[in-house]
Amino acid sequence: MERAKTSRDAILIMGHLAQNFGYNDNGESLFVSDTFENWVFHITPDDTKESAVWVAKIIPSDHAAVVANSFIIHDIDLNDTEGTTFLFSSNIVDVAVRQKLWDKKSKFNFNKIYSGPEPGYKYSSGRRMWYAYKLLGVTDLLPTYNNLQEEQPYNTSYLVPVSYTGEGKITLNTSRSIMRSYYQNTIYDMSTKLSGGAFGSPDRWRGGEGESIVKGHWERNIGISRSILSYVLQLRSFLPNEIGGAMWVAMHAAHTSVYVPFVVGMNKLPVGYQTAA
């Protein structure tokens, strides 16, 4: 943060550090944004565990991207050396070839080459992507599939503008509603019928030994009870930097908390947000 002036700078710094000094964790995906550009950034260790492979793709201002514990960047233009749409590590091809993950004939699809299977159980990532796009106004996607990584059913939605509702843009209320959602008004609604907990609560806690005996599982909500915190970034280039960037923070789970705005130019936080006591 203290070395980067733009989101593009931040990506290059993170990528350089990881590629040269190593990244020893599972694959990770981040949104890296400033008031002019928004990027989605993926990173994963290489096969030596001493370096890393990474890629970033810019998100046009009239588009939306949804990440739900799964890589979403697919075909990469390896000729984009100017960083018009993509930024990526210098070893991205070499590692794929060395591991025999790419045949040099098909398109260079980062997701298919470097991503493992859908994390967790089936639909834990994809269904959250489906519902988030649904709340953004994309209504022609299906909530079911056979294999998320092979079929990539939500790839198209990321590449084309979403069908905005209301004011013709993604509003703060839309963003907050997505973060608080648990498939309301769908057959997967976690607050109704057999899925609904006591008093219609969408929250689910581990059931002990019973979970390993009974086959099946609950839906993985977007608004989930074990969240540490939730936040929505509001980035406005038409305002001074001190107030152009604002972080709306909800302490704990989004669907049980209140979003409070903090502008980046604040010199001091309110007393209630200075300590976890």
Side-chain angles (χ1 to χ4, degrees):
M1 291 294 294
E2 59 191 12
R3 294 172 59 183
K5 291 184 177 180
T6 67
S7 56
R8 187 181 293 258
D9 289 343
I11 290 169
L12 294 174
I13 291 170
M14 291 189 298
H16 172 80
L17 291 172
Q19 187 175 347
N20 286 276
F21 299 102
Y23 172 77
N24 190 19
D25 201 347
N26 294 321
E28 185 61 83
S29 183
L30 305 169
F31 286 110
V32 186
S33 306
D34 58 34
T35 54
F36 292 98
E37 288 187 335
N38 297 285
W39 298 78
V40 59
F41 171 84
H42 296 337
I43 187 169
T44 188
D46 77 339
D47 51 329
T48 69
K49 305 298 182 182
E50 296 179 355
S51 185
V53 176
W54 60 271
V55 64
K57 183 179 181 182
I58 199 166
I59 306 169
S61 60
D62 58 349
H63 288 53
V66 179
V67 172
N69 297 105
S70 186
F71 289 157
I72 65 168
I73 297 178
H74 299 277
D75 294 340
I76 299 174
D77 180 5
L78 296 174
N79 295 317
D80 185 9
T81 56
E82 299 297 321
T84 303
T85 303
F86 295 97
L87 297 170
F88 46 83
S89 58
S90 60
N91 63 351
I92 195 170
V93 172
D94 293 340
V95 174
V97 172
R98 185 169 68 226
Q99 293 186 266
K100 298 181 180 180
L101 300 173
W102 184 49
D103 58 10
K104 296 185 181 180
K105 299 177 182 179
S106 57
K107 292 182 177 180
F108 196 90
N109 187 307
F110 184 88
N111 193 308
K112 287 188 175 181
I113 292 172
Y114 285 110
S115 179
E118 182 174 10
Y121 47 77
K122 186 178 180 180
Y123 300 130
S124 61
S125 290
R127 188 154 289 158
R128 282 181 285 160
M129 295 173 67
W130 163 77
Y131 191 60
Y133 279 123
K134 179 180 176 66
L135 294 179
L136 288 167
V138 182
T139 59
D140 59 346
L141 299 175
L142 296 177
T144 58
Y145 47 81
N146 291 317
N147 185 294
L148 178 65
Q149 305 301 0
E150 289 297 322
E151 297 174 29
Q152 303 180 359
Y154 310 116
N155 184 16
T156 302
S157 298
Y158 172 47
L159 298 177
V160 299
V162 298
S163 302
Y164 300 135
T165 58
E167 300 177 19
K169 60 184 179 181
I170 301 175
T171 64
L172 281 171
N173 281 335
T174 302
S175 301
R176 289 187 289 244
S177 295
I178 292 173
M179 299 302 291
R180 288 169 167 156
S181 64
Y182 42 88
Y183 306 112
Q184 295 95 316
N185 302 314
T186 73
I187 61 173
Y188 310 108
D189 192 330
M190 287 292 289
S191 66
T192 62
K193 299 181 180 179
L194 290 178
S195 296
F199 311 104
S201 170
D203 295 336
R204 292 294 172 275
W205 302 93
R206 292 190 178 277
E209 295 181 1
E211 280 196 329
S212 61
I213 298 173
V214 179
K215 292 184 178 180
H217 52 76
W218 301 111
E219 293 288 344
R220 169 50 162 100
N221 293 332
I222 296 176
I224 192 167
S225 58
R226 62 174 180 267
S227 297
I228 299 173
L229 81 162
S230 168
Y231 59 86
V232 175
L233 294 179
Q234 185 180 23
L235 305 172
R236 299 162 293 186
S237 60
F238 58 88
L239 292 173
N241 287 337
E242 291 78 8
I243 60 174
M247 176 181 282
W248 294 72
V249 180
M251 304 303 295
H252 194 50
H255 62 297
T256 61
S257 186
V258 176
Y259 281 98
V260 179
F262 301 102
V263 296
V264 297
M266 293 176 64
N267 294 321
K268 188 176 182 180
L269 290 173
V271 174
Y273 286 83
Q274 293 181 24
T275 176

